[in-house]
Amino acid sequence: MSDNVVHLHKNTDPAPVTTLTVVPEPATAKPVPLWIRSGRAVHTAVTHDVTKASARAMARHTLFVAGGARIAAKRTWDGRTASRYERMIRAAEAAGNHELAAEWEERGQHFRRERHQRRMDLITSPVDAAKGVAVGAGMSVGSLIALGVVMAVATKDASDVLTPLMATVDFINLLITIVQVVWGPAVTLGPFLALLALWAVGKHQQAAPAWALPDNVRNGEGEPITPSIVVKALRDLGVAPLRTAIKDMGDAGAGMLGPIRIAGCGVEVDVTLPSGVSTIEVQKRRRKLAENLTRHEHEVFITIPQAARTVRLWVADSGALDEPIGPSPLVTDETLKADYAKGRAPWGQDLRGDAAALSVYQRHLLITGLSNQGKTAALRALALWVALDRSVEFWVGDLKGVGDWAMFEGLATRFIQGPTDDHVIQVTMMLEDAVEEMNRRLMAPPGTQFPALIVNVDEAQVAFMCPVKDEEGRFYGGSKATSRYFMAARKLHNQGRAVNVLLWQGTQDPTDQNLPKLVREGAHTRASLALGTESQSRMALGDKAVNGGAAPHLLRPGLDKGTLVVASDGIKVPAGQSSITVRTHYISTEEAHVIADRAKALRDGVTTLTVIERGQERDPLADILAALGDTPRVRTKDVLKRLATLNEKAYGGWSFLDLKRVLDDAGAEPHKSDGVMVVSRDRVAQALANRDGDGSASADG
């Protein structure tokens, strides 16, 4: 049963009535004409991938022959004429190197003199050649006859006189026969062999249009960086003076290039720009240059070396920067030790693949970047290395408070962890105590050496943005002369390094509000992960570094985690550059705990203060017990140091006599152990328990 089509017709009378009319559909559809079906088949065949690939292959190999012929003709022309020297002269003049231009002109003149001499020799060469042939033939015939005479004497047969001469004639006749046999096929195959040679030259140089090349070559996958590719990339950069200068140089634009050197997972080349082209014009076209080099933007770095009007290009191998680097030596070498004064922290690798090590000696540090880019891991890696030097003391303020620095509890003598305003107040007091310690050291006699005290504040932007005021109406945050955290940081930056009191800060998403100018410029080592804008890069690293090519704002958030642009005199920076890009080793939290345990094993035991109290009456005996920690016996001099760390104002001036007086009064006198005076934890705990028990009994009585 065939389907029917139903049509609705509406009556136009005042009382509309809708009627249904059933129109039967034709039983069979109208056949498609043959020419339409044939056209569709032809279209399908023509547009099929196999057809297009085959057509491209035929065009490609045909054009290889034409391109090879062009290259061979150009090489022949260069070899026969002085055009090569003319191009090099124009290239040197365009680069402003007149000494090199004069040298190439001298070479060209020498080539012309030798060529003229060769042409003059051709005038007399036929006569000389004829004379040489006549003399040579006469000597050869004479030699053969002499040889025949010797043979005739030996054999006593006069006919042997002509035997050597006739043998030579027969050999020449054989050669003529061979040439006659080979000549026909050689004439037939010669053109084909010539075409094959031209095809090989064209294929080696990929001398065909881009549309005819295979997909992998056309997309630039794995394409090596050659002088011609660099010159073409610069020519097509969109800088008119540069394009004109390269055009005037001809194909010798490679004269602008220094040697292409293998540099880690990529190559490096210096480009001397022609007169009238500024380095900034190349720098601001980084993306286009990368695309011209068949690379992604993050795989090309442009820096400014010492030479005038020169840019240094570092071009990574395709996909190389997406591969992770190896683990940190802190993880792989359990015997590794640190030396704060003379050593360098193994931080990662530079783009060349060389180890990037940072000296932290007497250098304030600032690391910034967008959130979740590896800032804490990079800062923590440095702190873990320094912690392997037992002489270094740490005060840690973690204003994130999620446990990233938990391994420093028991390693740092002060440890504040949390994101609230109360934690900001505690961290601010910690910085102010560091200022007091700095001032105390500054009062010491000149030449006094002090162990390093590193005050480490992660997420410092939380402190700068804190809105809380103290009792006197001063803000803990902010960037005014009355802002407590800001002023403490400034004082440490001003004089702290001279007495080894250092401030390390980690911040994110820098602005003038959460990272004031005076604070960021007070750091000796400034490093930045991926940022959002160039203005943020200038805040993080300074104008000099960014003008010299530093571009953390061009790093890829999420994809370039742990990659830092570092401006510091504490790391080896290539000559002429003001910054270096470092791919840092990632140390997980679990690995950090293991390294921290190794650092703790190097120390006698550290009592970590987690709350800083001000304006409260101290209990010396309770503070002594707290300073002893879990260690059964501690030297009296170490107890004094721990008490000073616990509260500088209360115990900073204590001597052995002050400590002995308190312990003697409590009945927990110091005693000798292995020849040194020590304080027993059990005695102090028992004395404190007895005192508290007596106090309770008196109160009950």
Side-chain angles (χ1 to χ4, degrees):
M1 180 177 179
S2 62
D3 296 334
N4 293 322
V5 179
V6 179
H7 297 277
L8 294 179
H9 298 280
K10 196 168 184 180
N11 198 342
T12 58
D13 294 339
V17 178
T18 301
T19 61
L20 294 176
T21 304
V22 179
V23 181
E25 185 179 357
T28 58
K30 185 178 180 179
V32 179
L34 178 62
W35 66 271
I36 294 179
R37 285 181 289 165
S38 300
R40 290 175 179 172
V42 171
H43 180 269
T44 302
V46 170
T47 58
H48 196 275
D49 290 340
V50 175
T51 305
K52 291 191 289 186
S54 301
R56 273 207 315 269
M58 292 179 60
R60 177 168 65 252
H61 293 292
T62 302
L63 292 168
F64 280 163
V65 176
R70 176 177 55 81
I71 294 171
K74 185 178 183 305
R75 290 175 179 174
T76 303
W77 178 259
D78 286 345
R80 302 289 295 177
T81 68
S83 60
R84 175 185 304 168
Y85 300 95
E86 295 293 337
R87 286 199 307 272
M88 297 307 295
I89 291 170
R90 291 197 299 270
E93 289 176 344
N97 193 339
H98 299 292
E99 293 182 1
L100 183 60
E103 180 181 346
W104 278 110
E105 185 176 5
E106 176 62 28
R107 292 183 183 181
Q109 293 294 339
H110 181 69
F111 170 81
R112 291 186 181 93
R113 285 193 297 269
E114 289 189 343
R115 182 181 62 183
H116 176 72
Q117 185 61 43
R118 287 194 300 270
R119 289 175 178 175
M120 295 303 294
D121 291 342
L122 288 176
I123 297 176
T124 59
S125 61
V127 177
D128 295 338
K131 291 180 180 179
V133 170
V135 172
M139 294 179 64
S140 299
V141 171
S143 300
L144 292 172
I145 292 175
L147 179 62
V149 170
V150 173
M151 292 178 61
V153 171
T155 60
K156 299 180 180 181
D157 186 357
S159 62
D160 286 343
V161 173
L162 299 177
T163 298
L165 184 61
M166 296 308 296
T168 303
V169 172
D170 291 340
F171 177 72
I172 294 173
N173 187 45
L174 176 62
L175 291 179
I176 293 173
T177 303
I178 293 173
V179 170
Q180 288 175 341
V181 173
V182 174
W183 182 256
V187 171
T188 303
L189 295 176
F192 295 101
L193 294 176
L195 290 175
L196 181 61
L198 295 176
W199 173 86
V201 173
K203 184 177 184 301
H204 179 72
Q205 297 291 334
Q206 295 294 314
W211 58 265
L213 296 176
D215 291 339
N216 64 325
V217 177
R218 193 165 62 250
N219 295 335
E221 296 178 1
E223 185 175 7
I225 299 300
T226 62
S228 61
I229 288 177
V230 177
V231 171
K232 290 178 182 177
L234 294 169
R235 182 193 64 194
D236 300 335
L237 201 55
V239 181
L242 180 59
R243 182 180 183 86
T244 302
I246 293 175
K247 184 178 180 181
D248 292 340
M249 298 176 198
D251 291 338
M256 300 187 304
L257 308 183
I260 297 179
R261 305 175 295 272
I262 295 177
C265 57
V267 297
E268 185 178 75
V269 58
D270 286 353
V271 181
T272 302
L273 300 176
S275 178
V277 181
S278 171
T279 55
I280 191 64
E281 294 182 90
V282 177
Q283 277 187 298
K284 67 184 181 182
R285 290 173 172 83
R286 178 187 177 192
R287 174 174 294 181
K288 189 170 185 179
L289 178 62
E291 292 171 350
N292 291 348
L293 293 169
T294 64
R295 295 294 191 272
H296 296 291
E297 184 178 11
H298 71 278
E299 294 175 328
V300 175
F301 288 82
I302 306 172
T303 54
I304 309 298
Q306 286 181 328
R309 213 170 62 246
T310 302
V311 294
R312 179 168 294 161
L313 307 181
W314 185 86
V315 185
D317 299 334
S318 293
L321 295 184
D322 296 326
E323 298 294 330
I325 64 173
S328 170
L330 293 173
V331 176
T332 59
D333 186 359
E334 295 184 356
T335 63
L336 185 67
K337 299 291 179 63
D339 186 338
Y340 161 75
K342 299 179 181 179
R344 290 178 178 266
W347 212 7
Q349 294 179 0
D350 62 16
L351 295 180
R352 292 170 171 267
D354 299 330
L358 179 71
S359 170
V360 299
Y361 177 66
Q362 292 190 343
R363 290 178 176 88
H364 299 298
L365 175 68
L366 172 65
I367 299 180
T368 187
L370 297 178
S371 176
N372 195 31
Q373 298 304 308
K375 167 181 54 61
T376 296
L379 183 60
R380 189 176 63 190
L382 294 177
L384 287 170
W385 177 80
V386 180
L388 294 175
D389 183 339
R390 59 178 296 174
S391 68
V392 178
E393 181 180 358
F394 272 99
W395 295 359
V396 175
D398 176 15
L399 292 177
K400 183 188 296 182
V402 296
D404 289 338
W405 294 87
M407 69 289 304
F408 276 82
E409 189 165 1
L411 185 59
T413 51
R414 299 195 183 191
F415 184 73
I416 311 299
Q417 180 178 244
T420 67
D421 291 339
D422 289 338
H423 293 102
V424 171
I425 294 172
Q426 294 286 312
V427 169
T428 303
M429 292 180 178
M430 182 176 72
L431 256 68
E432 291 173 340
D433 286 348
V435 172
E436 292 185 9
E437 171 63 15
M438 175 190 73
N439 292 332
R440 184 186 69 81
R441 295 183 178 190
L442 289 171
M443 297 300 292
T448 304
Q449 297 297 318
F450 297 99
L453 169 60
I454 297 178
V455 183
N456 187 6
V457 181
D458 195 13
E459 305 296 342
Q461 76 279 354
V462 177
F464 286 112
M465 298 301 290
C466 179
V468 178
K469 295 181 180 180
D470 63 10
E471 298 82 359
E472 300 177 2
R474 294 183 301 166
F475 284 102
Y476 285 95
S479 58
K480 296 182 179 179
T482 57
S483 301
R484 293 179 59 176
Y485 183 92
F486 170 76
M487 290 306 298
R490 286 292 299 134
K491 290 175 182 178
L492 291 176
H493 280 167
N494 288 339
Q495 296 178 298
R497 65 173 297 275
V499 289
N500 278 330
V501 178
L502 305 178
L503 176 60
W504 290 7
Q505 296 182 100
T507 71
Q508 64 174 317
D509 200 10
T511 65
D512 284 328
Q513 289 71 40
N514 65 25
L515 186 58
K517 178 181 176 64
L518 292 177
V519 170
R520 59 183 186 247
E521 291 186 351
H524 303 99
T525 295
R526 300 167 71 174
S528 176
L529 296 116
L531 289 172
T533 64
E534 181 179 332
S535 62
Q536 286 186 314
S537 297
R538 294 183 181 276
M539 292 180 191
L541 301 177
D543 291 336
K544 180 181 179 181
V546 175
N547 292 338
H553 56 283
L554 296 181
L555 295 174
R556 302 166 298 166
L559 298 177
D560 290 325
K561 277 188 175 182
T563 299
L564 286 162
V565 182
V566 184
S568 172
D569 62 350
I571 194 169
K572 185 179 180 181
V573 177
Q577 297 180 203
S578 55
S579 65
I580 186 172
T581 301
V582 177
R583 303 172 69 198
T584 58
H585 297 295
Y586 175 70
I587 301 176
S588 68
T589 302
E590 293 75 15
E591 294 168 337
H593 276 280
V594 174
I595 299 169
D597 289 341
R598 284 164 33 203
K600 293 173 186 177
L602 298 174
R603 302 164 190 253
D604 293 333
V606 176
T607 301
T608 299
L609 178 64
T610 58
V611 178
I612 300 174
E613 299 177 353
R614 293 289 176 85
Q616 296 184 7
E617 186 177 350
R618 308 299 306 184
D619 183 346
L621 191 60
D623 286 343
I624 291 172
L625 181 62
L628 293 173
D630 296 330
T631 308
R633 291 184 300 274
V634 180
R635 292 183 178 184
T636 53
K637 65 176 184 178
D638 292 335
V639 174
L640 290 171
K641 290 181 181 178
R642 296 183 185 184
L643 286 173
T645 300
L646 193 65
N647 192 295
E648 177 66 25
K649 285 188 175 181
Y651 305 114
W654 269 34
S655 65
F656 171 74
L657 295 177
D658 296 315
L659 176 64
K660 186 175 184 302
R661 173 178 50 79
V662 172
L663 293 175
D664 288 347
D665 292 344
E669 300 84 354
H671 63 284
K672 281 193 175 183
S673 175
D674 295 331
V676 295
M677 295 297 292
V678 299
V679 178
S680 170
R681 185 186 186 284
D682 291 340
R683 290 186 181 183
V684 175
Q686 184 62 45
L688 187 62
N690 293 338
R691 188 197 67 180
D692 292 342
D694 294 341
S696 299
S698 299
D700 292 340

